Amino acid sequence: MQEVQLSLPIKLWLEELGVSVQAEVGKIDLMGVDPDGSVVAVELKKSLNLEVINQAVDRQRVADIVYIGIPYSEKAVKRQRFKETLQVLRRLHIGLLLVKFHYDPPRVEEYIEPKLFDLSKSKRQSLRQKERLLKEFKARKLNINQGGVTRQKIMTAYREQTLILAHYLKREGEASPAQLAQYNTGIRSVGQVLNKNYYGWFEKVSWGLYTLSEEGYAALQEYEDIIEALLRAKESIQDGKMD
């Protein structure tokens, strides 16, 4: 696949919309002028990458409508990175054209329309996600994670709470959700956490009665320092409430 192979299908697609098209005008791969005089610019690339996005942004200085044109790839479209890059194009109101060469003749799909991005609408649609992030932020007792790490366990509020729960369950040996709830672990539904057993740290002894699994004992050893810090933070909060 060469970039030049994208030129004719996209040129024909634009001309069907009434746009007059010329190739290689200045730095622009395909330049068009629509009936109302608006300038259309299309940058052609074999894949969607930062280089072509930078070129498209530069073309916005002289063009009213800017597209990026790439060959369609089913595998690429399904990738998470591709979906994330689409958000960048929408923010920059850059359009995306996909040329499907498995048709004869090739077909062009306007995958993203180059229109102004509604940031307020996007924030409204993501309000629940924002609320979840704030809830997680406020629920954490410790500040020990490092930004930018990969393939490492993140100390979430849920993991903090479950570690405290495991600590008190080891102290009791066997306990019911009601018994563990008396320790003020900060977990709204202790029974639900024990029953779901997300980390595999708990075992059901009988109806409503739990104990630690081998994985649970291993977790207490692995996170011993963190558990001590959590207990200190818990005591500090309780002392503050008493004052």
Side-chain angles (χ1 to χ4, degrees):
M1 173 61 60
Q2 300 295 321
E3 292 172 8
V4 68
Q5 293 174 262
L6 299 163
S7 181
L8 181 58
I10 293 178
K11 180 177 183 291
L12 293 175
W13 180 79
L14 288 170
E15 288 176 342
E16 286 180 3
L17 298 176
V19 180
S20 300
V21 183
Q22 290 283 346
E24 298 299 333
V25 181
K27 294 182 179 180
I28 302 174
D29 291 337
L30 287 176
M31 177 177 167
V33 180
D34 70 12
D36 67 6
S38 297
V39 174
V40 181
V42 184
E43 286 303 310
L44 308 176
K45 271 290 182 290
K46 291 185 287 186
S47 63
L48 189 57
N49 53 41
L50 182 59
E51 179 185 4
V52 71
I53 293 174
N54 287 339
Q55 290 172 344
V57 169
D58 183 68
R59 304 304 177 259
Q60 286 180 322
R61 295 190 299 170
V62 294
D64 304 293
I65 300 170
V66 177
Y67 285 101
I68 292 172
I70 62 173
Y72 172 80
S73 166
E74 184 177 0
K75 186 179 294 185
V77 167
K78 291 181 178 179
R79 289 177 183 149
Q80 182 62 30
R81 178 174 293 181
F82 182 85
K83 296 175 182 178
E84 292 169 353
T85 305
L86 296 185
Q87 291 297 323
V88 176
L89 296 186
R90 291 189 179 99
R91 288 291 185 100
L92 297 172
H93 47 96
I94 294 171
L96 179 64
L97 301 176
L98 300 182
V99 182
K100 299 182 176 181
F101 286 98
H102 52 280
Y103 293 104
D104 187 18
R107 297 181 185 177
V108 176
E109 177 186 354
E110 186 183 38
Y111 204 72
I112 294 181
E113 183 182 353
K115 59 183 181 180
L116 290 175
F117 182 77
D118 190 337
L119 183 58
S120 297
K121 180 181 178 181
S122 177
K123 287 188 174 182
R124 288 195 303 270
Q125 292 175 338
S126 303
L127 187 58
R128 289 185 179 179
Q129 182 181 359
K130 179 181 179 180
E131 290 173 348
R132 287 196 298 269
L133 292 172
L134 286 171
K135 182 179 178 181
E136 168 68 21
F137 185 92
K138 294 175 181 178
R140 291 187 183 183
K141 301 296 185 294
L142 303 180
N143 189 359
I144 60 174
N145 296 317
Q146 294 185 16
V149 298
T150 57
R151 298 181 182 179
Q152 292 186 21
K153 295 177 181 178
I154 302 299
M155 187 55 58
T156 63
Y158 182 82
R159 191 184 291 270
E160 289 180 352
Q161 293 170 355
T162 311
L163 282 170
I164 289 291
L165 194 61
H167 167 78
Y168 287 121
L169 187 55
K170 178 186 177 183
R171 177 184 292 184
E172 294 289 336
E174 297 178 357
S176 67
Q179 289 173 299
L180 294 172
Q182 295 177 1
Y183 286 104
N184 296 321
T185 59
I187 300 175
R188 289 186 176 182
S189 178
V190 173
Q192 186 176 355
V193 174
L194 293 170
N195 185 55
K196 187 176 181 181
N197 197 18
Y198 183 80
Y199 297 123
W201 294 349
F202 312 116
E203 288 181 356
K204 184 179 288 187
V205 178
S206 59
W207 189 87
L209 198 63
Y210 296 84
T211 189
L212 273 183
S213 66
E214 291 183 6
E215 291 86 352
Y217 281 105
L220 291 180
Q221 291 183 339
E222 180 182 355
Y223 296 106
E224 184 178 0
D225 294 341
I226 291 175
I227 292 171
E228 291 179 1
L230 287 169
L231 291 172
R232 289 195 298 269
K234 183 171 177 287
E235 291 174 0
S236 176
I237 292 172
Q238 290 176 340
D239 291 343
K241 288 181 178 179
M242 290 177 64
D243 294 341

